[in-house]
């Protein structure tokens, strides 16, 4: 076998196996070779991955824990051969070899079938979705539906969102299919890592409790979170665009926030954004004993406003925004937009002054 190809596939598969599962088979991958096609399958019962590649080989079908195999391949520069004999496999290069026990493939779990709604889309679009909303998801929330990324369709658009109840990130694209799903955050990073190496076009198939991303050589399946994600499209969560808009240099405001957070990390990363003498100011507020920090970050151009929020929340979104735009209004939330990308919005719940 060509070592780098096998090692790269194993690295992806290791994100899908169980971690110290009491069911030993879930700590293993299934390694199959038939008609010069090698197939590696991995699952932890919450997500499933299947990867195929062509290579001249004899037939084999075994289950093996991937970590030791990967560690050996990582230290070997040569191509390797894998042979099976008497309950063990031997992995051998020109100069080294290792023998590992395996489990019969008959004990491995069958992959679930995913049917129903299907659409084709670019894999890069999906990886962008995950990146843009990942940081907003609350993996340890007491509300299960907030532990995942929501994809729902409405008005001919698909909306992708993540929220921890204090903020929400949302992006969208044109889509005529109808579905409403929540993919667990715990599965998203493994899905993204696999999609990065898939061909440009993939199929997305959705059933009532599963979603599958697939092309000719790869299948990625994830269980879904059941429940209703908060309805952020009903007009009460996403505020309307306001005439009171700030267009700020994101590097300037990032540096100002970082200075404030030196003093307010223990106060929910509190920062106050306000105008004074036609200047836009960022301040730690008067809640800090003995110390305070303030920075001038721009001209107000006649606008008058004041608000407070978690500075960390704004810092989190800045890497995904090219040109920062902040909308203020009388409504409850602060709307952050990228005026270079109208499909992406970010909402922060303000802190009461």
């Amino acid at each position: 076998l060509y070592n780098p190809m096998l090692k790269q596939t194993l690295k992806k598969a290791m994100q899908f196996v169980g971690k110290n599962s009491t069911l030993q088979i879930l700590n293993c991958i299934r390694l199959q070779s038939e008609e010069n096609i090698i197939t590696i399958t991995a699952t932890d019962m919450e997500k499933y991955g299947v990867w195929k590649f062509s290579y001249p080989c004899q037939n084999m079908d075994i289950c093996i824990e991937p970590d030791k195999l990967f560690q050996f391949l990582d230290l070997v520069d040569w191509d390797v051969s894998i042979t099976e004999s008497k309950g063990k496999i031997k992995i051998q290069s020109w100069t080294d070899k290792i023998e590992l026990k395996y489990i019969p493939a008959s004990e491995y779990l069958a992959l679930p079938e995913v049917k129903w709604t299907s659409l084709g889309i670019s894999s890069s679009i999906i990886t962008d979705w995950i990146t843009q909303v990942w940081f907003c998801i609350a993996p340890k929330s007491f509300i299960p539906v907030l532990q995942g990324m929501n994809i729902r369709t409405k008005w001919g658009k698909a909306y992708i969102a993540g929220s921890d109840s204090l903020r929400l990130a949302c992006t969208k694209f044109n889509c005529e299919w109808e579905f409403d799903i929540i993919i667990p955050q715990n599965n998203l990073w493994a899905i993204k890592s696999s999609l990065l190496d898939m061909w440009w076009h993939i199929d997305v198939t959705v059933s009532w409790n599963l979603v599958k991303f697939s092309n000719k050589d790869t299948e990625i399946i994830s269980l879904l979170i059941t429940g209703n994600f908060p309805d952020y499209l009903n007009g009460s969560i996403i505020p309307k665009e306001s005439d009171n808009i700030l267009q700020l240099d994101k590097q300037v405001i990032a540096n100002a926030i970082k200075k404030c957070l030196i003093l307010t990390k223990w106060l929910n990363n509190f920062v106050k954004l306000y105008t004074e003498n036609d200047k836009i100011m960022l301040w730690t507020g008067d809640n800090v004993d003995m110390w305070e920090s303030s920075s001038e970050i721009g001209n107000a151009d006649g606008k008058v406003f004041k608000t407070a929020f978690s500075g960390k929340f704004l810092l989190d979104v800045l890497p995904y925004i090219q040109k920062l735009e902040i909308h203020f209004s009388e409504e409850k939330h602060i709307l952050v937009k990228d005026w270079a990308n109208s499909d992406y919005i970010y909402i922060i719940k303000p802190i009461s002054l």
Side-chain angles (χ1 to χ4, degrees):
L1 287 176
Y2 181 53
N3 182 11
M5 183 183 298
L6 179 58
K7 188 168 69 174
Q8 182 183 18
T9 308
L10 276 176
K11 189 174 183 179
K12 288 183 271 188
M14 288 169 66
Q15 298 182 69
F16 286 75
V17 298
K19 301 294 186 290
N20 301 315
S21 173
T22 53
L23 189 61
Q24 187 181 5
I25 198 69
L26 294 181
N27 297 323
C28 298
I29 60 166
R30 184 177 182 181
L31 178 62
Q32 298 169 272
S33 56
E34 186 176 6
E35 298 180 354
N36 294 330
I37 299 293
I38 295 174
T39 303
I40 292 178
T41 307
T43 182
D44 59 5
M45 296 293 287
E46 293 185 359
K47 55 187 180 292
Y48 303 78
V50 181
W51 300 267
K52 297 180 180 181
F53 57 93
S54 301
Y55 207 86
C57 56
Q58 297 179 348
N59 291 354
M60 182 185 295
D61 195 357
I62 60 171
C63 297
I64 185 171
E65 294 187 11
D67 52 347
K68 293 182 178 63
L69 177 56
F70 180 83
Q71 290 171 27
F72 178 75
L73 294 175
D74 202 33
L75 297 171
V76 174
D77 295 327
W78 305 94
D79 294 351
V80 296
S81 64
I82 300 178
T83 55
E84 170 195 1
S85 177
K86 298 179 180 178
K88 294 182 179 181
I89 60 166
K90 180 168 68 175
I91 303 99
Q92 187 167 359
S93 70
W94 288 104
T95 57
D96 304 280
K97 69 176 180 180
I98 186 173
E99 291 188 355
L100 301 171
K101 292 183 178 180
Y102 69 83
I103 300 174
S106 57
E107 296 186 25
Y108 206 72
L109 295 88
L111 287 176
E113 289 189 17
V114 188
K115 298 179 179 178
W116 298 6
T117 305
S118 182
L119 70 151
I121 195 170
S122 162
S123 61
S124 63
I125 290 177
I126 300 174
T127 56
D128 286 346
W129 294 347
I130 295 172
T131 302
Q132 290 172 350
V133 306
W134 164 273
F135 63 93
C136 266
I137 300 170
K140 298 180 180 179
S141 172
F142 292 107
I143 306 173
V145 294
L146 296 183
Q147 297 177 17
M149 180 178 79
N150 176 238
I151 308 176
R152 68 174 56 175
T153 54
K154 194 171 185 178
W155 309 311
K157 300 276 188 181
Y159 294 83
I160 302 90
S163 176
D164 59 7
S165 78
L166 298 175
R167 54 183 170 163
L168 179 139
C170 179
T171 188
K172 62 185 176 181
F173 74 104
N174 294 328
C175 180
E176 297 300 327
W177 296 98
E178 292 187 6
F179 54 89
D180 189 347
I181 62 174
I182 307 171
I183 305 174
Q185 191 209 40
N186 291 340
N187 296 351
L188 285 175
W189 213 249
I191 292 171
K192 178 183 175 180
S193 298
S194 295
L195 292 180
L196 287 172
D197 295 323
M198 293 173 74
W199 290 104
W200 182 257
H201 182 87
I202 62 172
D203 294 318
V204 181
T205 310
V206 178
S207 68
W208 72 273
N209 69 334
L210 295 167
V211 61
K212 178 172 74 173
F213 306 91
S214 61
N215 64 8
K216 181 172 65 73
D217 301 318
T218 306
E219 286 187 21
I220 306 298
I221 300 172
S222 172
L223 288 178
L224 299 175
I225 296 174
T226 57
N228 297 317
F229 199 84
D231 187 4
Y232 49 92
L233 299 177
N234 64 7
S236 64
I237 295 179
I238 299 179
K240 297 177 182 178
E241 293 188 5
S242 167
D243 293 332
N244 205 8
I245 301 171
L246 295 181
Q247 292 180 345
L248 299 170
D249 184 310
K250 69 174 189 177
Q251 191 59 53
V252 170
I253 195 169
N255 289 338
I257 290 174
K258 289 174 183 176
K259 294 171 190 172
C260 290
L261 297 193
I262 295 172
L263 303 177
T264 63
K265 285 182 179 179
W266 59 279
L267 282 171
N268 297 321
N269 301 300
F270 176 94
V271 295
K272 180 180 177 181
L273 188 66
Y274 66 101
T275 55
E276 183 178 76
N277 299 326
D278 209 31
K279 302 292 184 183
I280 303 171
M281 304 296 295
L282 195 72
W283 183 42
T284 54
D286 55 9
N287 296 311
V288 183
D289 292 338
M290 297 178 64
W291 301 98
E292 65 180 70
S293 173
S294 63
S295 300
E296 179 185 326
I297 59 174
N299 294 318
D301 297 325
K303 300 181 177 69
V304 178
F305 61 85
K306 62 178 179 179
T307 187
F309 53 89
S310 167
K312 180 182 180 302
F313 285 177
L314 187 55
L315 282 180
D316 286 344
V317 76
L318 291 181
Y320 314 112
I321 288 182
Q322 297 180 48
K323 297 183 178 181
L324 177 64
E325 190 175 87
I326 302 178
H327 292 242
F328 297 93
S329 69
E330 299 301 321
E331 300 188 42
K332 296 180 179 179
H333 303 103
I334 301 167
L335 176 61
V336 180
K337 299 191 69 175
D338 182 355
W339 62 276
N341 176 13
S342 60
D343 290 334
Y344 185 55
I345 62 172
Y346 182 62
I347 299 159
I348 302 174
K349 186 175 180 179
I351 298 173
S352 298
L353 291 169

